[in-house]
């Protein structure tokens, strides 16, 4: 399966590479776009669930690394919920 990373910039200025086992992330995000914390988290959850299911269909088990990426995103996002802020998608790396 083609895997990729989505490079994002969090509201505090830190950049992070978010792993996906599938290119489906391109259906949910656009490089250069900023997303509210809730929107970014929701889109990431949808995309990573689809990506993990694609792994399950091909290999018979879900992608634990996609689950770990989602857990990291949700943990990071929870720290910004008290302030209006956004996550910017910088680039895709394949």
């Amino acid at each position: 399966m083609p895997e990729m990373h989505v490079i994002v910039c969090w509201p505090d200025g830190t950049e992070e590479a978010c792993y996906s086992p599938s290119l489906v992330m391109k259906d949910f995000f656009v490089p250069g776009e900023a997303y509210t914390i809730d929107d970014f988290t929701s889109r990431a959850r949808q995309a990573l669930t689809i990506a993990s299911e694609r792994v399950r269909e091909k290999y018979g088990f879900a992608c634990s690394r996609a689950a770990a990426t989602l857990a990291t995103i949700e943990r990071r996002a929870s720290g910004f919920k008290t302030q209006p802020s956004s996550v910017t998608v910088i680039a895709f790396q394949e």
Side-chain angles (χ1 to χ4, degrees), residues 3-4 18-22 24-25 44-56 61-74:
E3 57 185 17
M4 67 178 300
C18 300
Y19 172 82
S20 172
S22 167
V24 72
M25 300 295 268
R45 185 177 302 111
Q46 291 174 58
L48 289 167
T49 298
I50 291 168
S52 185
E53 286 305 310
R54 288 180 179 178
V55 170
R56 183 187 309 277
F61 52 87
C63 180
S64 60
R65 193 166 170 197
T69 297
L70 179 56
T72 298
I73 288 170
E74 290 176 335

Side-chain angles (χ1 to χ4, degrees), residues 4 23-30 43 47 50 54 92:
M4 67 178 300
L23 301 180
V24 72
M25 300 295 268
K26 291 181 175 184
D27 295 339
F28 289 84
F29 298 106
V30 176
R43 287 169 182 259
I50 291 168
R54 288 180 179 178
F92 296 133

Side-chain angles (χ1 to χ4, degrees), residues 7-94:
I7 311 304
V8 301
C9 182
W10 289 97
D12 63 3
T14 58
E15 292 185 9
E16 184 171 12
C18 300
Y19 172 82
S20 172
S22 167
L23 301 180
V24 72
M25 300 295 268
K26 291 181 175 184
D27 295 339
F28 289 84
F29 298 106
V30 176
E33 291 289 319
Y35 300 88
T36 66
I37 293 293
D38 288 339
D39 188 30
F40 176 77
T41 304
S42 176
R43 287 169 182 259
R45 185 177 302 111
Q46 291 174 58
L48 289 167
T49 298
I50 291 168
S52 185
E53 286 305 310
R54 288 180 179 178
V55 170
R56 183 187 309 277
E57 289 171 11
K58 185 167 185 173
Y59 298 107
F61 52 87
C63 180
S64 60
R65 193 166 170 197
T69 297
L70 179 56
T72 298
I73 288 170
E74 290 176 335
R75 185 175 56 254
R76 292 287 314 266
S78 69
F80 298 108
K81 290 214 179 225
T82 60
Q83 56 194 354
S85 51
S86 60
V87 178
T88 301
V89 172
I90 298 171
F92 296 133
Q93 289 182 340
E94 294 180 43

